[in-house]
Amino acid sequence: MSLAESASSVSGAFDSIPIIDIGHASTAEERAALARQIRDACVNVGFFYIRNHGIPEETIDKVLSAMKAYFSLPLETKMKSKLYHRQGAHFRGYEPLLDSNIDPANRGDLYEGFVIGWEDLVPKEDDGKNTNDDTTIPPNLWPSEPAGLRDAFINYYHAAFGVGKVLHRLFALALDLPETYFDEKLKRCPIMRGLHYPPQTGPEDDRIVGIGAHSDFECFTILWQEPGVQALQVLNSKRQWINATPIPGTLVINIGDLLSRWTNDIFRSTVHRAINRSGVRRYSIPLFIGADPHVEVEPLPSCVSPERPAKYEAINSGEYVRKRLQEMYQRSLNA
């Protein structure tokens, strides 16, 4: 069955999220089998868990500890030294509570975050700065406290990006493309957010939630969520919210709008939200993997047929994501 044919029979009425073990991907046969599972998950749900992803537990523990220490600091400390993410053109740094509003029907998103992009794992010794040789990559903004935050964030970032490189090759196989198809298109641009969601204490119908209903902008997201704290929910075609329950040892993967557009809507970019009514603080780390800014995105030949003609014109990846980010933050000013 072709990709277009497989998508035509999908109902989207899922009631659970599949779990895929990616620990065995050393042979072509193993990768082909994984690609079939991933295709099924992306076409039918748009979300899946992965186990045996390879990120060391110590790496996760250190970044979680750093997040807890940072977000416990006073607001004035987190906002000082030009760390506020709107002060630059690339939204790096600190995001305070209610600073974004991703769902136009809501009044704000009840989370705070710390946002970084690509940076070398080890700073260059010749200049003493934590910057990159490529001047087209915006520099990160680092607070002076807590100690060790940069190392914890960057170590997790690179580990998760390594998972992303495995996944985008599996996505290529799932789309009947050469395994290396995305290698030169998804090289260097992940954005990572360390997020803190306070417990949601307002009324059930309050228009302020952890993060409102939305689909992600980029190609795909790799999400670590703290075990034992339920918040993430995924919307199916019956308008039912399905819990994406944290499962220890797993990451959550979801398709974003850019990859959905690239696949002519064969891969599903599914609406989701986070509402933390657990009574305790929730921490999560999404890594958003998108196409490099220069890449032109248009429906892939394997996703187009006479019965399913191309739905989208070509767009520039960088311009598309910038526009979506500006819309999200502008809504918070108008809410």
Side-chain angles (χ1 to χ4, degrees):
M1 182 182 294
S2 70
L3 277 167
E5 289 171 337
S6 64
S8 64
S9 59
V10 170
S11 72
F14 58 88
D15 59 8
S16 62
I17 298 170
I19 303 172
I20 300 175
D21 188 334
I22 66 166
H24 300 286
S26 58
T27 69
E29 292 77 13
E30 288 172 339
R31 293 193 295 277
L34 283 173
R36 288 191 291 272
Q37 293 181 63
I38 286 173
R39 178 196 286 199
D40 184 69
C42 293
V43 168
N44 289 285
V45 182
F47 270 75
F48 56 97
Y49 297 91
I50 57 171
R51 343 189 105 99
N52 290 317
H53 47 73
I55 300 180
E57 198 63 36
E58 181 183 12
T59 301
I60 295 172
D61 290 343
K62 286 183 176 179
V63 74
L64 177 59
S65 295
M67 288 168 56
K68 289 181 176 181
Y70 177 72
F71 290 125
S72 68
L73 295 171
L75 178 62
E76 57 268 24
T77 301
K78 290 179 284 192
M79 291 286 282
K80 72 180 181 181
S81 303
K82 298 183 178 180
L83 286 175
Y84 179 43
H85 74 126
R86 289 183 191 248
Q87 290 186 334
H90 303 283
F91 302 107
R92 302 288 199 274
Y94 176 65
E95 297 177 279
L97 294 171
L98 302 177
D99 200 63
S100 70
N101 186 34
I102 203 164
D103 182 351
N106 286 350
R107 295 191 292 121
D109 297 323
L110 192 64
Y111 72 83
E112 58 178 342
F114 192 80
V115 186
I116 70 167
W118 171 268
E119 187 169 305
D120 292 326
L121 195 60
V122 178
K124 302 299 183 185
E125 295 182 359
D126 56 351
D127 59 11
K129 298 178 182 178
N130 296 340
T131 54
N132 307 290
D133 290 337
D134 189 342
T135 57
T136 65
I137 300 176
N140 291 318
L141 306 174
W142 296 109
S144 58
E145 55 180 315
L149 182 139
R150 181 211 174 258
D151 287 350
F153 267 63
I154 290 296
N155 285 335
Y156 179 87
Y157 179 103
H158 280 267
F161 192 21
V163 176
K165 292 175 182 178
V166 172
L167 287 172
H168 74 57
R169 289 193 165 196
L170 293 172
F171 285 137
L173 293 174
L175 292 165
D176 296 333
L177 298 169
E179 190 171 357
T180 58
Y181 181 85
F182 292 117
D183 283 10
E184 296 302 310
K185 300 173 178 65
L186 309 177
K187 287 196 300 186
R188 62 171 193 183
C189 284
I191 296 298
M192 186 178 104
R193 282 181 163 86
L195 300 178
H196 164 229
Y197 293 84
Q200 181 79 38
T201 57
E204 291 288 335
D205 61 351
D206 193 0
R207 293 190 298 120
I208 294 176
V209 299
I211 186 167
H214 68 285
S215 54
D216 289 347
F217 311 154
E218 303 274 18
C219 290
F220 63 98
T221 304
I222 300 172
L223 174 72
W224 176 86
Q225 52 179 346
E226 188 174 16
V229 185
Q230 170 59 45
L232 180 61
Q233 297 179 313
V234 182
L235 189 65
N236 70 12
S237 61
K238 293 183 177 180
R239 311 299 297 174
Q240 298 168 325
W241 288 104
I242 308 302
N243 286 342
T245 303
I247 301 174
T250 69
L251 301 169
V252 177
I253 312 299
N254 67 276
I255 301 303
D257 295 344
L258 201 59
L259 187 54
S260 182
R261 186 180 180 115
W262 224 338
T263 64
N264 207 28
D265 287 341
I266 288 175
F267 279 11
R268 181 183 297 267
S269 180
T270 305
V271 171
H272 51 286
R273 67 184 183 185
I275 302 178
N276 181 18
R277 297 194 181 277
S278 67
V280 299
R281 300 176 185 276
R282 181 210 186 217
Y283 299 89
S284 68
I285 311 170
L287 182 79
F288 303 97
I289 295 185
D292 289 356
H294 68 278
V295 173
E296 296 293 309
V297 174
E298 60 184 328
L300 295 161
S302 62
C303 300
V304 175
S305 70
E307 297 75 29
R308 193 183 185 91
K311 298 181 179 182
Y312 303 106
E313 297 179 353
I315 56 166
N316 175 268
S317 168
E319 292 175 4
Y320 173 78
V321 173
R322 277 192 296 274
K323 179 181 177 183
R324 294 287 300 273
L325 282 169
Q326 289 165 355
E327 289 172 351
M328 179 176 76
Y329 292 119
Q330 184 62 37
R331 281 196 291 267
S332 74
L333 297 177
N334 298 333

